[in-house]
Amino acid sequence: MRGEGADYRSDLWALGVVLYEAASGRLPFDGRTGFEISSAIMREMPKPLGPPVPPGLWAIIQRCLSKESMQRYQRAGEVQAALEAVQSAVNVSPAPAPEVSVPRTTMLHGVQHIHVKKGDFLLLVGTTKGAFLLRSNQQRTRWEVGGPYFHGHAVYSMAYDGRGGQHRIWASTQNYWGTLLRSSDDFGKSWTNPQEAPIRFPPDTGVSLKNIWQISLGPPNEPDVLYCGVEPAALFETRDAGDTWSLVRGLFDHPHRPRWVPGNGGLALHTIVLDPTNGQRMYVAISAGGVYRTNDGGQTWSAQNRGIRVMFMPGKYPEFGQCVHKIAMHPDQPQRLFLQNHWGLYRSDDCAENWIDVANGVPSDFGFAMVMHPRNPDCVYIVPVESDEFRCTCDGRLRVYRTRNAGASWEPLMRGLPQKRAYETILRDAMTADSLDPVGIYFGTRNGQIFGSRDEGKTWQKILEGLPAVVCIRTAFVQDASGSSAITSSKTSSTSSGSRTASKASPSISSRAKSLKSKSRETNSRGTDSRGTRR
C-alpha cells in the first residue's frame, strides 16, 4: 500500500497528463493496448511540446511527468505557483524591441504582499522553500509578513540595493531546473523572470552553475556594479546592474582551484568582502579553499590563511584548504578582519596576512554565522554550535555570544531565548544586524524560527515561527518607498560592500584590464545543473 505522500505525487502525475493533453490536444504516451500504454509510461519520455506552448509550461509538465516521484512537485500549491508565473510572464511581459533583450516580469498572484511606506524597516528572509519579506516601523515590535515568494525554491541569497535612489530586492532561486538570479523593484509584487540563467559559466570551463551563495553590492559610487559568489566556487561580476555577468577569471584560473575540496555544503564561494578604502582590494571565502585576497582588482589572487588550522588534514596549517565558514570586516578598520572557521575563531590585524586565535571563553569554536556591530569595530556576534558531527547549539541552549574587545573575551546573550531543548542551527548567512539606534540583531534557525533583539543583544524576542529552514536574512531601512530619494540598506558586515567608501578610492574590481574583460565576456553556456538543499 502506498503512503499518503506517494498517492499525492501520483495525483500530480495525473495532473501532468491533463496539462499535456490540454496544451497539445493529444496524450503524452501512445499505445494500441493498455499494456503498450503502460510500457510507454514506464520507459518513454513524453513527446516534446514546441511553440506555441511556452517553454515554462513545458517545463512544468515535464516535472509533473517525471519518472522519479521525488522529482515531481510535492504539493498542488507548487504547481499553482509555477503556472501563475508562466501565465503572468505571458500577460505582463513587455515585448522586446529588435536586438534588445528585455527580461520578462512575473506578477505573483495569490501571495500576501507587504505594504511599504517611508520610514519602514524590512527583513528579507530566504528559506529552503521560498523567500519572505517582513515589514515593521523603526520600533521593530510588530511585523507584517509577505510571501512565500518562489514557492518551493531554495533562496540562499538575498540583497537590498538602495544605491541611486532605487529600492531593488535581489534573490537567487534554486530548484530542480536550475538556479536563477531575480530582482524586484516593487517590494515583491513583481519579479524579473529570466528565460535563461543570467549567471552562466563560459563553455570552456566545463562546469555549470549549481547555486548562488552570495549577492554583494559594489561601491556606492558604482551603482551598476554587483558581485555574486557561486557554486562551484567562483566569483561573477556585473557592471550593468545585472543585465550581463562576467566570470572573474583571475580567481577561477588560480592554480589552487583544482585542489580545492568541497565542504559539507559543496564547493562554494559564500562570502565577499570589499575594502571600503581600497577599490582594488577584495576578500572572498571558499569552503573548502580558505580566504583569498586580490590587491589588483581581481587580476591576481593570493591565499591568506596563515595561522588558520585544519583539523581534517595531516598538515594542520596548509597554505590553502581551510574550510572557512565566514569572514567579517568593519569599514572603520578595514585592516582588521574576523573569521569563523570549521573549528576556530580568528582575528587578523594586517589585512589577512596573519591570523590569531580569539576563541577565548566560548563553549565551542565551531559555528557558521558572524556579524559585526555597525558602529563598533571591536564588537562581533557569533552563535557557537557543538561540533561538526552535532551541528546544534551547545547543551541545547540557544545563546548568542558577543565580544566587545575584539575577541579578548566573549559573553553569552540569552535573555528571552530558549535555554532547554533548544537544539537549533544558525547557518552562515542566517544572521544580520541593522544600522538603527540602538542596533538590532536578527537570526533565523533551520527549524524555521526568527529571533530579534532591539537592544544590541541584551534581550531577545521571537519574531516569527513556522517557516521552512532559514538560510539567509538581510535588513533594509526604507527612506522613501517611492524611490525618489536614496534608500539605505543594512547588511551583515561579513558581506560588506564598502558602505563608507572614500570618494577618492581607487577603481573597483570591475575596472581591471581590458583583456580580462574581453575574456570574461565570452558566450556562456546555460547552467541548469542543481542539487538538493544542503549546507
Side-chain angles (χ1 to χ4, degrees):
M1 178 179 293
R2 294 179 303 178
E4 179 181 351
D7 288 335
Y8 203 79
R9 287 190 289 272
S10 298
D11 292 340
L12 295 180
W13 184 91
L15 175 60
V17 174
V18 173
L19 290 173
Y20 187 100
E21 185 176 10
S24 65
R26 64 179 188 271
L27 292 173
F29 304 101
D30 295 330
R32 293 171 296 178
T33 65
F35 176 80
E36 289 181 354
I37 294 174
S38 297
S39 178
I41 291 173
M42 296 294 294
R43 299 174 182 276
E44 298 177 8
M45 297 299 294
K47 295 181 179 64
L49 297 180
V53 177
L57 177 58
W58 172 229
I60 295 170
I61 294 172
Q62 283 182 290
R63 184 170 179 183
C64 288
L65 296 177
S66 174
K67 305 299 183 188
E68 298 293 334
S69 62
M70 293 306 297
Q71 294 179 0
R72 299 176 203 148
Y73 292 102
Q74 305 298 301
R75 295 289 183 268
E78 297 179 11
V79 183
Q80 179 185 0
L83 289 171
E84 286 182 348
V86 172
Q87 181 184 20
S88 59
V90 173
N91 290 340
V92 307
S93 294
E99 300 183 0
V100 177
S101 176
V102 179
R104 294 183 176 181
T105 302
T106 297
M107 302 292 296
L108 298 184
H109 305 285
V111 175
Q112 179 68 41
H113 298 296
I114 57 175
H115 302 86
V116 181
K117 60 183 182 299
K118 180 179 179 180
D120 280 348
F121 175 76
L122 306 181
L123 283 178
L124 318 181
V125 181
T127 78
T128 55
K129 294 296 180 181
F132 297 81
L133 303 179
L134 279 64
R135 183 197 67 84
S136 186
N137 55 24
Q138 295 186 49
Q139 280 65 50
R140 298 158 289 175
T141 55
R142 301 179 64 182
W143 299 87
E144 177 189 13
V145 181
Y149 302 98
F150 313 112
H151 193 277
H153 293 224
V155 180
Y156 272 85
S157 184
M158 299 186 75
Y160 191 91
D161 192 351
R163 297 172 300 171
Q166 62 185 341
H167 42 80
R168 177 166 295 173
I169 298 173
W170 291 94
S172 67
T173 62
Q174 181 204 44
N175 70 353
Y176 177 78
W177 301 106
T179 299
L180 295 176
L181 183 66
R182 308 172 188 262
S183 64
S184 173
D185 291 326
D186 53 12
F187 302 105
K189 295 181 179 64
S190 64
W191 296 81
T192 54
N193 187 34
Q195 301 305 292
E196 61 179 12
I199 296 179
R200 306 185 299 276
F201 282 92
D204 65 290
T205 62
V207 298
S208 60
L209 181 68
K210 294 183 173 66
N211 200 4
I212 298 173
W213 287 83
Q214 190 61 248
I215 305 168
S216 184
L217 307 184
N221 60 346
E222 295 186 86
D224 291 337
V225 176
L226 295 96
Y227 305 95
C228 277
V230 307
E231 177 192 355
L235 180 67
F236 281 81
E237 68 166 354
T238 177
R239 302 186 64 201
D240 52 17
D243 288 343
T244 60
W245 290 83
S246 304
L247 174 65
V248 177
R249 284 283 189 169
L251 182 62
F252 187 83
D253 295 333
H254 196 285
H256 291 172
R257 191 182 71 84
R259 291 183 285 168
W260 292 340
V261 178
N264 188 60
L267 183 60
L269 192 158
H270 53 71
T271 304
I272 304 169
V273 176
L274 277 65
D275 188 323
T277 62
N278 183 348
Q280 293 286 295
R281 180 176 294 155
M282 176 191 290
Y283 305 84
V284 298
I286 298 168
S287 186
V291 177
Y292 282 78
R293 184 187 70 196
T294 179
N295 292 326
D296 56 12
Q299 297 184 59
T300 61
W301 296 77
S302 59
Q304 304 293 148
N305 303 296
R306 187 178 303 152
I308 305 173
R309 70 181 184 277
V310 180
M311 303 297 291
F312 48 83
M313 294 178 65
K316 297 304 181 185
Y317 295 94
E319 180 186 3
F320 64 94
Q322 286 80 353
C323 189
V324 175
H325 288 175
K326 205 66 185 171
I327 53 177
M329 173 200 292
H330 197 282
D332 287 348
Q333 292 190 20
Q335 77 282 359
R336 172 186 288 176
L337 295 96
F338 292 86
L339 184 149
Q340 173 69 70
N341 198 48
H342 186 111
W343 294 117
L345 275 170
Y346 298 92
R347 187 188 78 229
S348 173
D349 296 316
D350 53 9
C351 299
E353 289 292 335
N354 300 277
W355 296 91
I356 59 173
D357 193 315
V358 293
N360 303 309
V362 292
S364 169
D365 62 359
F366 191 97
F368 297 97
M370 173 173 277
V371 171
M372 294 289 311
H373 188 289
R375 290 187 288 275
N376 183 351
D378 292 329
C379 184
V380 183
Y381 297 83
I382 60 170
V383 184
V385 298
E386 189 166 308
S387 68
D388 51 0
E389 293 183 351
F390 190 69
R391 302 184 178 200
C392 296
T393 46
C394 302
D395 305 318
R397 303 172 65 188
L398 184 51
R399 293 169 290 178
V400 176
Y401 277 74
R402 176 180 65 186
T403 180
R404 290 185 286 188
N405 52 20
S409 63
W410 298 82
E411 57 181 328
L413 307 172
M414 64 186 83
R415 186 177 176 184
L417 297 176
Q419 298 301 300
K420 293 183 178 180
R421 295 183 294 278
Y423 295 102
E424 301 284 359
T425 303
I426 292 83
L427 298 177
R428 60 170 54 91
D429 278 329
M431 189 176 186
T432 189
D434 64 35
S435 57
L436 301 178
D437 191 10
V439 168
I441 309 294
Y442 313 87
F443 66 87
T445 74
R446 291 193 72 172
N447 287 331
Q449 301 182 92
I450 297 178
F451 293 90
S453 171
R454 293 174 289 138
D455 52 15
E456 307 194 359
K458 295 178 183 177
T459 60
W460 298 86
Q461 299 80 36
K462 184 185 294 183
I463 295 175
L464 191 62
E465 61 183 353
L467 295 177
V470 178
V471 293
C472 171
I473 291 185
R474 293 290 182 266
T475 69
F477 175 63
V478 181
Q479 292 185 342
D480 188 338
S482 69
S484 59
S485 64
I487 298 172
T488 60
S489 88
S490 171
K491 305 182 357 176
T492 61
S493 298
S494 59
T495 57
S496 169
S497 60
S499 59
R500 302 184 186 182
T501 304
S503 60
K504 296 184 179 180
S506 52
S508 72
I509 187 173
S510 60
S511 301
R512 62 185 184 271
K514 289 184 179 180
S515 59
L516 185 60
K517 294 176 189 173
S518 62
K519 287 180 66 178
S520 61
R521 288 175 182 168
E522 296 171 356
T523 303
N524 296 336
S525 61
R526 183 175 183 179
T528 57
D529 183 25
S530 65
R531 281 189 275 180
T533 301
R534 66 270 182 272
R535 193 77 176 219

